[in-house]
Amino acid sequence: MLNQKHSLFVCTTCGGKWQDGKRVGESKGEQLLQQLQELAQDSELHNQFCIQGVECMSACSHSCVIAFAAEGKSTYLFGDLPIDSSASAVLECASQYYTKYDGLLPWSERPEPLKKGILAKIPPINKWTQSNNNCC
């Protein structure tokens, strides 16, 4: 599983300022994305994860929001991340996610900013469909 594609998604609309239905300036999500991309360049995560911004992850009341995803692993959605102190913790957690065969991130092992901010843990689709014979 370690050779498969891993993704770190960052909501780029999180923490944005809006005026007349248009975003004004750089959002906090965009700032977090830039921090993550810069920090990852100097680490082994650079080749392990695709770090990409996505528009609106529908967790607006919990900005800033990120997600870890990979085939065969649970997908995790985290929110309420402060942009000034969470980038290195996100990359540390991404490294944990990458090295675990099943991608499980126990609460006790996650960096502090990612202990409180979990919004969802979605089971891997291929494992769920294999164990559920009543599915389509």
Side-chain angles (χ1 to χ4, degrees):
M1 290 272 180
L2 293 182
N3 293 329
Q4 72 188 39
K5 185 79 164 174
H6 285 72
S7 294
L8 169 54
F9 299 109
V10 182
C11 180
T12 57
T13 53
C14 278
K17 294 180 183 173
W18 297 82
Q19 184 176 3
D20 299 324
K22 295 181 183 178
R23 190 171 55 201
V24 178
E26 188 176 56
S27 71
K28 291 181 180 182
E30 288 171 317
Q31 293 171 31
L32 179 59
L33 175 63
Q34 289 172 2
Q35 291 173 17
L36 291 167
Q37 289 172 330
E38 288 172 14
L39 281 174
Q41 284 180 354
D42 297 328
S43 76
E44 60 188 47
L45 283 177
H46 180 68
N47 295 321
Q48 299 167 345
F49 267 83
C50 175
I51 301 174
Q52 63 187 50
V54 295
E55 274 200 39
C56 194
M57 293 173 70
S58 294
C60 301
S61 62
H62 295 284
S63 70
C64 287
V65 176
I66 61 105
F68 301 120
E71 185 179 337
K73 294 185 177 187
S74 295
T75 296
Y76 282 86
L77 181 68
F78 293 96
D80 300 314
L81 298 172
I83 63 159
D84 56 348
S85 62
S86 62
S88 61
V90 168
L91 292 182
E92 179 185 342
C93 198
S95 182
Q96 293 172 352
Y97 182 79
Y98 179 81
T99 58
K100 298 214 179 218
Y101 179 79
D102 55 8
L104 294 180
L105 297 169
W107 179 88
S108 63
E109 296 176 20
R110 293 194 303 255
E112 198 60 40
L114 295 144
K115 285 184 177 181
K116 299 176 187 174
I118 189 161
L119 302 176
K121 175 186 159 205
I122 302 162
I125 205 162
N126 55 347
K127 287 185 181 181
W128 184 82
T129 54
Q130 289 172 359
S131 65
N132 187 349
N133 294 330
N134 297 326
C135 182
C136 310

